[in-house]
């Protein structure tokens, strides 16, 4: 079991840590995640907002309206461009109460191998050639 997660962006300006074990690990293939990562989806790992700490730097961010109507923010490094965070809170303002979690793009973990997906969502948005691990539960839309 993983007891702490640390990571950061390519240039090192932004560093983060979770003080509790992750509560979710999944692949999201929604169009927002595709655009965020420039890939077929985002390997998303994270946990409650209270367990998340920004250790260094201030991410640039933009807001999107998710399918459930919630406003979420996607954070990235304004210097190197690494996509990092999906979170509901910026500068102390909680934009959505029902989704008080912070997810990070698993490729930014110090040890990306700590990400093992438990399921994949929005798989109907992935390109037809996309391959998922054998036996991984897949949900076309949540
Ligand atoms: Zn950076
Ligand atoms: Zn997504």
């Amino acid at each position: 079991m993983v007891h702490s997660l640390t990571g950061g962006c390519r240039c090192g300006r932004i560093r983060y840590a979770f003080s509790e074990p992750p509560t979710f690990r999944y692949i999201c293939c929604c169009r927002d995640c595709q655009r965020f990562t420039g890939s077929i989806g985002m390997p998303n790992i994270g946990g409650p907002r209270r367990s998340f700490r920004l250790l260094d730097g201030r991410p640039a961010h933009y807001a999107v309206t998710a399918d459930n109507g919630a406003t979420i923010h996607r954070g990235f490094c304004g210097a190197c461009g690494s996509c990092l965070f999906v979170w509901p809170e910026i500068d102390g303002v909680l934009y959505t109460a029902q989704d008080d979690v912070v997810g990070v793009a698993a490729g930014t973990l110090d040890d990306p191998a700590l990400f093992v997906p438990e399921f994949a969502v929005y798989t109907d948005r992935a390109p037809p050639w996309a391959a998922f691990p054998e036996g991984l539960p897949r949900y076309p839309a949540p």
Side-chain angles (χ1 to χ4, degrees):
M1 189 65 196
V2 180
H3 291 292
S4 68
L5 292 175
T6 58
C9 68
R10 177 63 180 87
C11 75
R13 284 178 171 82
I14 297 176
R15 295 284 305 161
Y16 64 81
F18 286 90
S19 60
E20 298 174 27
T23 56
F24 58 87
R25 313 167 199 212
Y26 64 94
I27 300 166
C28 183
C29 298
C30 80
R31 294 290 291 142
D32 282 340
C33 284
Q34 290 179 359
R35 291 185 170 107
F36 186 52
T37 62
S39 186
I40 65 165
M42 172 173 161
N44 194 358
I45 185 169
R49 174 66 183 84
R50 66 169 185 277
S51 71
F52 175 79
R53 295 288 179 276
L54 200 53
L55 303 176
D56 276 311
R58 287 184 67 81
H61 60 89
Y62 60 91
V64 296
T65 302
D67 277 7
N68 65 1
T71 299
I72 60 169
H73 290 257
R74 290 179 178 263
F76 59 97
C77 177
C80 73
S82 297
C83 60
L84 292 156
F85 310 120
V86 176
W87 55 13
E89 182 185 299
I90 294 291
D91 295 335
V93 177
L94 196 64
Y95 286 86
T96 162
Q98 74 270 31
D99 200 26
D100 188 13
V101 295
V102 173
V104 303
T108 66
L109 293 173
D110 290 332
D111 181 3
L114 293 177
F115 175 78
V116 178
E118 295 173 328
F119 58 91
V121 296
Y122 285 107
T123 52
D124 55 338
R125 313 289 160 84
W129 49 260
F132 296 92
E134 184 80 26
L136 188 75
R138 281 184 264 171
Y139 305 100

